[in-house]
């Protein structure tokens, strides 16, 4: 969870730890003003075991573009997210479709991330009330309770954050009866352009033992220049 | 024998009365046979719709699949080795099926309409041979085995504004998690009778779906069509004894509402028969009784010349039974004819009404009868019984008859 | 007068036969009329249930809405409601919103239909919004903006219970995807799969606000005090809304087509049975009258020999037939009333035989109270009398054909 000057987080070393800033930093760790990277996604469910290689670009929290590099059969398939809308471009048949709201609950690319996660994942600080609930050395536990009117399904989200490097160790999602439904585990921390980032994030559904989605960043670049109309339907075709 | 002949001749001595009474009995009997045939037709049509059209009489899949269908729970396409020969004899045909969910989209990049739909993939030849799925097509034609064909439900076609020949984008996940995508062409539009279902249902070819969804050589279910649909429960039990990993479910378990109606069906039929019977009995009873009273003088004479009461009783009884039986036979014949005609040429009422969902199946707007042994036999038996019944009182009076008084009555 | 007395006495000269014929007439009339009352009682119930759960006796919609049911086909409540005020004969006005959405919990998600209703208003009339159908929790109060009343299967599928969170996602009227948080206030069980697994009820105002237009409505369901007045109300309302392009008036027969058709089939079958029974009664009556008249051939011959002309004798016989018909019909009516009183007050319960059936998207209960279809009852009775009189025609002709001398010799 690196912060960079752009996200306006606290400088490390300050004695006052702001829960909101910490969480915001964690949730936007892979973004910045702009980013461009490559990652490998390993999806294991009870029925299959897949490896995908993806290239991704992002701008702020609103825009995201992903493109499949491997396996070859799916190479060129893209997902574009602009604000709350998602489009998929399917390279094999050279066609574009917009994902309707009724499918937001569906998994993205067969992983344990849902389309909705892509859309909402960055708004935690706006939808939850965050407070530090535990401190062990430089590791801090922040518990987020949803604001009364927030349209989120979780009962609470718990973050374990290393305040020294401002990286997340663990994020756990609970339902309203305090039963853990999902967790994200982070590892392999590296420093890139003055941020510390976990290169590996693994999503584990608690009610499906043995299943997980693991995303491993191969490269990530925050100082890249992105073309103007990158995040548009037209450019989907040309990628 | 002679008694019968005399009985027969006696009947025709008063032609008008006999004609009228027999006319009433024939009419009532024919109507009863027709009513029973009509109810049978109603039930048949309900069962057929639930089974013949799509579901088959027995459903074979992995245990629990019906309640919770998932893409990954597929079974082998070839199961005939698991079915014993004696069971095979009862099976008319098998339709393998694949089921999936996909996004279907139609239109241009800027203006496309996308809908999630349930996809059923079928072996078109098996369907044409066994089920009535092809009969639901309203526009275009049924599948012909071309890999890129798709059929859309009416409501679905309307929602995504697709027509015959339109390109449809198929987008889903295959069984190995990869993206399954294809462009399909609309070959036909169908209407299953259930509008809500039609707005999210599409049909495609089995082979194409198997390739698309990475399920080669596999299907989700086998729909068995039996020679005798009513045997489904029993045959399913026999199958379950020999199937190793799969489970056979009869249609009665899938449509309990219909199965329940079947249970009370015999009761409903008997009730109908009873009503007609009561009406007929009232009407003919008095006729016979009056006729008897009229002929008291004649009976007295016969007794006086030596005919035993027993023989006389037999005579009366035989007259009554002959008339009832004759009426029964003719009436049943007429009713059965009507049933047969409507069985082969049902009358289409769809101009006046649409189909109505009922307990998971639907009632079709057609006038349709099913001739059956029971619908012919019951009325006939009822008639014969009637013949006996109406002879009772006269016979009893007969035994109290005093010839001398009767003779004087003249 | 004399004729009447004579006719009356003649009837009773042969008590058995007259009684039997009377029984036939009375019995079949009572049976048919009573069954009709029961059948109509069941239709009543079906229709009234259907209109209360569905779109009312009459409903206001955007003209294309009943066919296509798209969210953007709404109309303005402010324009529609004033024209409905102060109309005699309207007992309930129920504005509603229908939004198709995705319902999500922390475990699962399902496609559903959200019904925005005014809870207080609907409590009295909607068969689903009854404590008897609530299996858990309570029906939300009218000011509860964020409570939802959901079906039991949906609760199971999403693994949520009373008090738990439910997030719904839908497209608002400007095309944007929006989410709203609800909590489960109560859970209902209707027995109909579509309702239990895919429908939730929420406060209409809050839904309208989330849609982005607090004035939008998809439907105003109108319940009438007397369904028989439907045609007049329909035409009045159609006239009233003539200027509004976005608002059209529909009757339940269009919006609940399936129920209307189901009733059509049933009543057609019924009318067929009535026809049959009348035919049978006619034949029976003809038969019996024929016999009784033929029996009296000698007597008629005698009467004619002493000077009574054929017409008068014919008149006498018709008098007898009429009396028979009237007595039978009256007795039949009385019997019908007695039977109907029982089934109207106590109701008939077929649920042991049939349980509850799902027909045309509704749960049809097998407990029926008959209604009083007076016009049918009197019509059938009058029909009986006519039938009996007509049945006498042939036998009379037969009886009077023979010459008096022959007739007297007859026996």
């Amino acid at each position: 969870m690196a912060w960079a000057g752009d996200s306006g987080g606290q400088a490390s070393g300050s004695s006052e730890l702001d829960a909101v800033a910490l969480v915001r930093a964690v949730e936007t760790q892979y973004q910045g003003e702009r980013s461009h990277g490559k990652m490998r996604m390993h999806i294991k469910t009870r029925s299959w075991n897949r490896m995908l290689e993806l290239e991704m670009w992002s701008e702020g929290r609103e825009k995201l573009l992903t493109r499949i590099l491997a396996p070859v059969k799916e190479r060129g398939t893209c997902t574009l997210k602009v604000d709350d809308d998602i489009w998929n471009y399917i390279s094999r048949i050279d066609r574009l479709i917009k994902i309707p709201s009724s499918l937001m609950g569906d998994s993205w690319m067969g992983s344990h991330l849902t389309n909705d996660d892509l859309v909402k994942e960055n708004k935690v600080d706006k939808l939850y009330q965050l407070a530090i609930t535990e401190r062990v050395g430089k590791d801090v536990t922040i518990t987020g309770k949803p604001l009364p009117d927030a349209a989120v399904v979780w009962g609470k989200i718990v973050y374990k954050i290393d305040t020294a490097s401002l990286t997340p160790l663990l994020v756990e999602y609970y339902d309203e009866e305090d039963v853990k439904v999902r967790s994200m585990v982070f590892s392999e921390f590296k420093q890139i352009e003055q941020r510390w980032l976990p290169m590996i994030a693994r999503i584990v559904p608690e009610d499906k033992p043995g299943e997980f989605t693991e995303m491993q960043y191969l490269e990530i670049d925050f100082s890249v220049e992105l073309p103007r109309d990158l995040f548009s339907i037209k450019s989907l075709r040309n990628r | 024998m002679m008694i019968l002949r005399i009985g027969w001749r006696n009947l025709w001595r008063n032609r008008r009365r006999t004609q009228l009474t027999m006319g009433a009995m024939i009419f009532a009997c024919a109507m009863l046979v027709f009513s029973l045939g009509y109810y049978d037709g109603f039930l048949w049509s309900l069962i057929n719709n639930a089974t013949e059209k799509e579901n088959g009489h027995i459903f074979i899949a992995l245990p629990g699949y019906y309640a919770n269908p998932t893409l990954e729970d597929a079974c082998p396409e070839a199961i005939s080795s698991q079915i014993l020969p004696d069971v095979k004899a009862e099976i008319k045909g098998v339709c393998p099926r694949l089921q999936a969910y996909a996004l279907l989209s139609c239109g241009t990049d800027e203006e496309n309409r996308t809908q999630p739909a349930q996809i059923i993939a079928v072996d078109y030849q098996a369907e044409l041979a066994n089920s009535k799925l092809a009969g639901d097509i309203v526009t275009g034609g049924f599948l012909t085995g071309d890999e890129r064909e798709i059929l859309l439900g009416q409501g679905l076609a309307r929602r995504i504004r697709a027509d015959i020949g339109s390109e449809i984008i198929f987008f889903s996940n295959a069984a190995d998690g990869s993206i399954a995508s294809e462009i399909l062409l609309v070959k036909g539009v169908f209407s299953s009778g259930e509008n809500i279902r039609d707005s999210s249902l599409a049909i495609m070819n089995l082979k194409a779906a198997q390739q698309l969804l990475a399920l080669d050589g596999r299907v989700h279910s086998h729909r068995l069509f039996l020679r005798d649909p009513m045997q489904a429960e029993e045959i399913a039990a026999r199958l379950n004894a020999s199937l190793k990993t799969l489970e056979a479910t009869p249609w009665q378990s899938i449509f309990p509402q219909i199965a329940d109606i079947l249970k009370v069906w015999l009761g409903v039929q008997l009730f109908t028969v009873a009503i007609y019977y009561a009406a007929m009995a009232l009407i003919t009873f008095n006729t016979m009784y009056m006729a008897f009273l009229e002929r008291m003088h004649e009976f007295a004479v016969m007794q006086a010349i030596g005919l035993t009461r027993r023989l006389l009783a037999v005579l009366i009884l035989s007259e009554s039974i002959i008339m009832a039986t004759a009426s029964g036979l003719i009436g049943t014949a007429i009713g059965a004819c009507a049933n047969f005609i409507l069985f082969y040429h049902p009358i289409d009422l769809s101009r006046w009404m649409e189909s109505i969902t009922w307990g998971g199946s639907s009632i079709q707007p057609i006038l349709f009868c099913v001739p059956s042994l029971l619908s012919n036999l019951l009325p006939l038996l009822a008639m014969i019984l009637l013949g006996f019944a109406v002879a009772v009182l006269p016979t009893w009076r007969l035994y109290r008859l005093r010839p001398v008084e009767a003779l004087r009555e003249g | 007068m004399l004729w009447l007395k004579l006719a009356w006495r003649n009837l009773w000269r042969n008590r058995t036969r007259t009684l039997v014929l009377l029984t036939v007439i009375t019995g079949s009339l009572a049976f048919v009329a009573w069954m009709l009352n029961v059948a109509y009682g069941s239709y009543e119930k079906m229709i009234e249930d259907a209109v209360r759960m569905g779109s009312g006796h009459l409903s206001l919609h955007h003209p294309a809405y009943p066919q296509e049911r798209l969210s953007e086909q709404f109309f303005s409540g402010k324009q529609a409601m004033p024209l409905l005020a102060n109309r005699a004969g309207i007992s309930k006005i129920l504005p509603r919103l229908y939004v198709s959405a995705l319902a999500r919990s922390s475990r699962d998600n399902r496609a559903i239909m959200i019904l925005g209703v005014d809870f207080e208003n609907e409590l009295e009339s909607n068969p689903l919004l009854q404590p008897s159908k609530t299996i858990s929790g309570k029906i939300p109060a009218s000011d509860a903006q964020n409570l939802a009343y959901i079906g039991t299967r949906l609760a199971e599928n999403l693994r949520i219970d009373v008090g738990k969170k439910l997030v719904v996602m839908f497209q608002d009227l400007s095309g944007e995807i929006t989410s709203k948080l609800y909590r489960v206030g109560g859970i209902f069980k209707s027995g109909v799969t579509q309702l239990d697994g895919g429908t939730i009820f929420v406060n209409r105002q809050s839904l309208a606000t989330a849609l982005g237009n607090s004035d939008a409505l998809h439907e105003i369901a109108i319940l009438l005090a007397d369904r028989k007045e439907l045609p007049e109300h329909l035409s009045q309302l159609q006239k009233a809304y003539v200027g509004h392009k976005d608002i059209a008036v529909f009757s339940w027969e269009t919006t609940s087509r399936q129920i209307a058709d189901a009733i059509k089939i049933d009543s057609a079958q019924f009318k067929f049975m009535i026809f049959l029974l009348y035919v049978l009664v006619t034949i029976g009556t003809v038969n019996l009258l024929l016999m009784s008249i033929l029996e009296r051939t000698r007597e008629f011959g005698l009467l004619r020999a002493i000077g009574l002309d054929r017409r008068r004798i014919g008149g006498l016989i018709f008098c007898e037939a009429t009396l028979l018909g009237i007595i039978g019909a009256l007795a039949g009516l009385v019997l019908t009333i007695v039977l109907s009183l029982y089934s109207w007050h106590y109701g008939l319960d077929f649920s042991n035989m049939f349980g509850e059936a799902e027909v045309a998207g509704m749960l049809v209960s097998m407990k029926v109270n008959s209604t009083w279809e007076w016009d049918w009852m009197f019509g059938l009775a009058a029909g009986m009398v006519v039938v009996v009189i007509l049945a006498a025609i042939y036998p009379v002709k037969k009886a009077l054909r023979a010459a008096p001398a022959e007739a007297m010799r007859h026996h």
Side-chain angles (χ1 to χ4, degrees), chain A residues 47 50 74 92 95 103 237, chain B residues 72 103 109 167 178 181:
Chain A
S47 326
R50 302 220 298 151
E74 291 158 73
R92 183 172 167 268
R95 289 286 195 277
L103 289 165
R237 272 268 165 76
Chain B
E72 298 88 45
L103 270 190
D109 277 353
E167 273 191 355
S178 63
S181 62

Side-chain angles (χ1 to χ4, degrees), chain B residues 32-43:
Chain B
L32 182 57
V33 172
F34 177 71
S35 296
L36 292 178
Y38 173 76
Y39 288 152
D40 274 347
F42 177 83
L43 196 67

Side-chain angles (χ1 to χ4, degrees), chain C residues 175-244:
Chain C
E176 297 288 307
I177 297 181
T178 178
S179 297
K180 190 158 162 50
L181 174 71
Y182 282 104
R183 283 197 184 270
V184 179
I187 301 181
F188 66 84
K189 181 172 169 137
S190 70
V192 180
T193 338
Q194 182 73 1
L195 292 172
D196 286 344
T199 311
I200 71 173
F201 291 86
V202 301
N203 175 289
R204 183 178 59 84
Q205 297 289 12
S206 72
L207 187 61
T209 314
L211 272 180
N213 181 342
S214 57
D215 185 39
L217 289 177
H218 290 118
E219 169 180 285
I220 297 184
I222 299 170
L223 291 177
L224 301 173
D226 186 353
R227 208 173 74 243
K228 297 201 173 73
E229 293 175 14
L230 191 140
E232 297 115 56
H233 284 286
L234 181 60
S235 58
Q236 274 174 21
L237 285 175
Q238 276 170 336
K239 280 201 208 89
Y241 286 103
V242 141
H244 296 90

Side-chain angles (χ1 to χ4, degrees), chain A residues 149-217:
Chain A
D149 282 335
V152 291
V153 298
W154 306 116
K156 72 176 184 218
I157 307 184
V158 174
Y159 296 85
K160 274 212 186 69
I161 301 177
D162 175 346
T163 53
S165 54
L166 285 181
T167 53
L169 301 167
L170 184 60
V171 182
E172 294 169 320
Y173 299 83
Y174 290 82
D175 71 9
E176 286 189 285
E177 275 153 351
D178 272 350
V179 175
K180 186 158 58 163
V181 179
R182 185 163 97 154
S183 37
M184 280 177 80
V185 189
F186 300 90
S187 52
E188 227 185 81
F189 299 93
K190 251 203 224 164
Q191 193 170 29
I192 297 186
E193 284 174 39
Q194 287 145 24
R195 305 185 193 202
W196 278 93
L197 284 179
M199 291 287 109
I200 297 186
R202 175 190 267 232
I203 304 173
V204 181
E206 293 299 322
D207 53 354
K208 295 182 194 146
E211 294 195 9
F212 63 83
T213 296
E214 188 172 274
M215 297 177 291
Q216 179 181 32
Y217 278 87

Side-chain angles (χ1 to χ4, degrees), chain B residues 79-101:
Chain B
I79 57 164
S80 59
S81 53
Q82 292 190 45
I83 303 180
L84 301 171
D86 61 331
V87 180
K88 271 199 203 162
E90 316 266 0
I91 298 175
K92 211 168 50 139
V94 185
C95 289
R97 297 268 173 84
L98 209 58
Q99 214 173 303
Y101 273 94

Side-chain angles (χ1 to χ4, degrees), chain B residues 28 38 182 201 213:
Chain B
Y38 173 76
E182 186 56 272
L201 187 62
L213 299 168

Side-chain angles (χ1 to χ4, degrees), chain B residues 119-137:
Chain B
I119 312 286
I120 297 183
V122 303
D123 173 349
Y124 78 102
Q125 284 165 322
E127 298 292 330
L128 283 171
N130 295 307
S131 78
K132 306 261 171 51
L133 206 57
D136 281 344
I137 300 285

Side-chain angles (χ1 to χ4, degrees), chain A residues 78-113:
Chain A
C78 301
T79 300
L80 172 66
K81 160 190 130 66
V82 174
D83 297 321
D84 288 343
D85 294 325
I86 299 187
W87 288 265
N88 277 343
Y89 169 74
I90 310 154
S91 62
R92 183 172 167 268
I93 54 176
D94 188 25
R95 289 286 195 277
L96 188 68
I97 58 175
K98 182 165 186 240
I99 306 286
S101 57
S102 54
L103 289 165
M104 283 306 188
D106 278 13
S107 82
W108 177 63
M109 299 289 166
S111 72
H112 293 95
L113 275 174

